[in-house]
Amino acid sequence: MEILAFGVQADEKPLIEQAFRGHHEVRCLDVFLNQDTAPIASGYEIICTSVNCALDNHVLQTLAVGGTQMIAQRSTGFNNIDLPVAERLAMTVARVSYYSPYSVAEFAWTLAMAVNRRIVRASIRTRDFDFRLNGLMGRDMHGRTAGVLGTGKIGEAFARIAHGFGMRLLGWDVAENPACVELGMEYVSKERLLAESDLITLHVPLMPATQHLIDADALKTMKDDAILVNSSRGGLIDTAALVAELREGRFTGVGLDVYEAEAGLFFLDKSLQAIEDDTLARLVTFPNVLVTSHQAYYTVDAVRQIIDATVRNVLDYTEGRRSENVLVPRS
């Protein structure tokens, strides 16, 4: 059987082809699945998608007409898939429920330290042989407070690094993580965490209850000199409200690896086009803001784990098994 994989990055392609070798043929496309590209999948029983593919009602209907019966998503998140429609169309949907939490946690720390120590500005200056230190002053993380919103595997990994820095730990989640408690983390209300933390990092899934978890009121609760990092999902932050606060000169730094309107932008080369998203265009102009294109997961270790899990999901489907990765079971 040949499988069609959408949204495959150049670095991923050889890893995907190697992982499927001996099991199934795989055709890798760099385009993302959407209304325009869905007809390409006609005749493919199994397709493989990434988080920036759009599997809404229209796309799923097109896939069903073309004979697609299984969707293997190469990510933990699945908010891009209309699961009720997939179930109605008798499509099996599986995702990757786990991969290296260190990839995302370490990148979140990379963003935090980059904005804290003004690394991007310093690098640009030295390329121009400008070696002044004005405007590059950061601050020690040791002794300050890290607030972790979402203390699952990634949040725990972030907290362990913060503990290594000698930081006080505050946590917020629906359930306490015993490993974080052992590190000395104190679980508090979201409002208290935002008010007391010098560094705030987001590691919760995007769902209706967490949409704009960091809204205008939450942003106003934060310290004026706080650092905010989001390496989870863009919709957790009300970006328009964030821009409004940044225009007031607030926050030491903001590091964003995700953006709530990133679909159709991230993972693509838009360098020769006018960006119509005024909010994003304004966001990247702030000197204390660093935006990257959803790359926190992008280590060879994590990507291999994601691909291996995707191969297992496909084999489970073809051999009639079911695992914890299945979101919509085979009917």
Side-chain angles (χ1 to χ4, degrees), residues 147-151 172 190 193-194 200-204 213-214:
V148 184
L149 292 161
T151 57
W172 177 86
K190 184 184 77 171
L193 183 149
L194 296 175
I200 296 164
T201 183
L202 307 180
H203 301 293
V204 300
L213 181 71
I214 304 299

Side-chain angles (χ1 to χ4, degrees), residues 1-6 8 13-21 23-29 44 46-48 74 311:
M1 182 186 301
E2 186 177 47
I3 296 160
L4 184 62
F6 286 93
V8 177
K13 184 177 178 180
L15 299 177
I16 290 176
E17 291 175 340
Q18 180 182 17
F20 272 103
R21 192 169 296 130
H23 301 294
H24 297 286
E25 296 295 321
V26 61
R27 178 187 174 196
C28 294
L29 303 179
Y44 287 90
I46 301 174
I47 65 166
C48 184
R74 302 189 311 277
V311 172

Side-chain angles (χ1 to χ4, degrees), residues 218-235:
L219 290 164
K220 292 184 184 302
T221 303
M222 293 167 53
K223 295 180 178 181
D224 288 342
D225 61 352
I227 293 172
L228 174 63
V229 174
N230 186 12
S231 58
S232 183
R233 289 291 181 269

Side-chain angles (χ1 to χ4, degrees), residues 121-274:
R121 182 186 296 180
S123 176
I124 293 172
R125 280 189 186 179
T126 54
R127 284 177 178 268
D128 292 333
F129 299 102
D130 179 353
F131 302 107
R132 293 172 300 165
L133 297 182
N134 294 339
L136 301 182
M137 184 176 289
R139 56 183 176 176
D140 293 356
M141 288 290 103
H142 179 82
R144 286 188 162 83
T145 300
V148 184
L149 292 161
T151 57
K153 292 181 176 65
I154 297 173
E156 177 189 333
F158 187 96
R160 289 188 181 281
I161 299 172
H163 183 261
F165 272 102
M167 300 187 75
R168 172 187 176 224
L169 298 174
L170 296 181
W172 177 86
D173 209 327
V174 293
E176 295 185 2
N177 183 336
C180 291
V181 174
E182 287 185 11
L183 293 172
M185 177 178 284
E186 180 184 1
Y187 279 84
V188 298
S189 67
K190 184 184 77 171
E191 291 72 23
R192 182 181 163 192
L193 183 149
L194 296 175
E196 296 183 13
S197 297
D198 301 292
L199 167 61
I200 296 164
T201 183
L202 307 180
H203 301 293
V204 300
L206 180 61
M207 55 185 67
T210 59
Q211 177 75 27
H212 287 180
L213 181 71
I214 304 299
D215 57 12
D217 290 338
L219 290 164
K220 292 184 184 302
T221 303
M222 293 167 53
K223 295 180 178 181
D224 288 342
D225 61 352
I227 293 172
L228 174 63
V229 174
N230 186 12
S231 58
S232 183
R233 289 291 181 269
L236 298 176
I237 296 179
D238 183 338
T239 315
L242 175 61
V243 168
E245 294 301 311
L246 288 165
R247 291 182 64 178
E248 296 296 320
R250 300 190 65 220
F251 309 135
T252 289
V254 175
L256 303 176
D257 185 52
V258 288
Y259 173 61
E260 59 181 327
E262 68 182 56
L265 290 172
F266 282 17
F267 303 141
L268 300 173
D269 182 2
K270 298 287 185 177
S271 60
L272 299 180
Q273 302 176 31

